[in-house]
Amino acid sequence: LAKTTLIVFWGDHGYHLGEFGIWAKATEYELGTRVPLLVSMPDQRKPNIINERVVELIDLFPTLIEAAGLPQPYPDGASCLHGNSLMGLLLHPSSQKDGKEYFAYSQIQRSAGLHGISIRGKGYRFTEWVSFNETSGQPNFVANVSSLIAAMNVELYAHQNDGGDDFDSFEYVNLVTDPVHFKIIEELHFKLKRKWKWECSKK
């Protein structure tokens, strides 16, 4: 069976055990959003490899489609999947140059109409707390980044030296008020807005 079956093991959320004074899940911190993800493929060329790239659970569907050799679910050529296939990383796990930029997005509801929307890249986690239209399913992003920072409705944490073995050491200092990081905030804010404006597009 192992020779013909691709096996995926994952968790659906992280968990706090008192860190930041928090118990359980439902936060936008690394401890609340990071999950285990293990993939075993038939005839895997290099087993037992840990890849440091940031990926999402929604990447699993396009990955499994490609691994099984199945046709894309949109035969007319529309690109309607949010996730990216991870087959490139699985087939060449030591390569960090597959031409793709990987991010992980998460969203939680803090109260009625207020949501935290987060993007995690290789070096940073960035979170905006925004009003959310429950009817349209769209966040109301602030257009001006300077206003966003001034209102302190945003969090930026550095993860450049995060080796993945100590999740409780990297999100105690919010960097949003440091002018050095303004360009990073602007870039990640734009990526969040672009993600939520995503629509099916013809290839």
Side-chain angles (χ1 to χ4, degrees):
L1 185 63
K3 294 181 178 180
T4 59
T5 306
L6 189 149
I7 301 170
V8 182
F9 173 87
W10 74 94
D12 66 337
H13 57 77
Y15 210 85
H16 288 262
L17 296 173
E19 301 88 355
F20 303 101
I22 300 170
W23 184 265
K25 55 178 181 177
T27 75
E28 289 288 23
Y29 289 117
E30 190 84 353
L31 282 161
T33 56
R34 191 164 181 167
V35 301
L37 177 60
L38 289 80
V39 180
S40 175
M41 294 175 57
D43 300 322
Q44 201 156 1
R45 299 174 186 176
K46 294 182 179 181
N48 305 318
I49 297 293
I50 298 175
N51 198 299
E52 301 296 337
R53 297 294 282 271
V54 175
V55 298
E56 302 183 89
L57 295 182
I58 59 172
D59 295 331
L60 291 177
F61 182 54
T63 301
L64 294 175
I65 290 175
E66 183 176 349
L70 297 173
Q72 291 292 323
Y74 301 97
D76 61 353
S79 177
C80 295
L81 297 179
H82 281 271
N84 298 302
S85 172
L86 304 178
M87 285 300 293
L89 296 180
L90 294 172
L91 293 174
H92 308 285
S94 60
S95 173
Q96 301 292 309
K97 300 178 181 179
D98 60 357
K100 292 182 180 179
E101 188 177 21
Y102 291 91
F103 293 95
Y105 297 85
S106 56
Q107 177 180 357
I108 66 166
Q109 181 179 10
R110 173 177 281 176
S111 60
L114 180 64
H115 287 221
I117 300 176
S118 182
I119 177 174
R120 173 69 155 90
K122 184 178 181 181
Y124 295 93
R125 174 177 294 282
F126 176 72
T127 302
E128 292 189 32
W129 294 94
V130 299
S131 62
F132 194 83
N133 189 318
E134 306 289 351
T135 302
S136 66
Q138 291 292 319
N140 299 311
F141 287 108
V142 175
N144 186 287
V145 175
S146 297
S147 299
L148 182 71
I149 295 172
M152 289 301 291
N153 291 331
V154 61
E155 301 171 53
L156 178 71
Y157 301 110
H159 281 270
Q160 284 91 345
N161 299 315
D162 186 349
D165 55 358
D166 186 2
F167 305 155
D168 189 30
S169 299
F170 291 91
E171 296 183 341
Y172 285 94
V173 179
N174 189 350
L175 301 172
V176 294
T177 58
D178 187 344
V180 172
H181 296 95
F182 184 83
K183 289 296 183 183
I184 293 292
I185 294 171
E186 207 170 36
E187 176 187 344
L188 296 177
H189 170 73
F190 172 76
K191 288 184 184 298
L192 279 181
K193 290 179 67 175
R194 185 176 63 185
K195 181 72 173 181
W196 258 260
K197 287 184 177 180
W198 174 92
E199 295 178 352
C200 293
S201 59
K202 294 289 184 179
K203 292 183 179 179

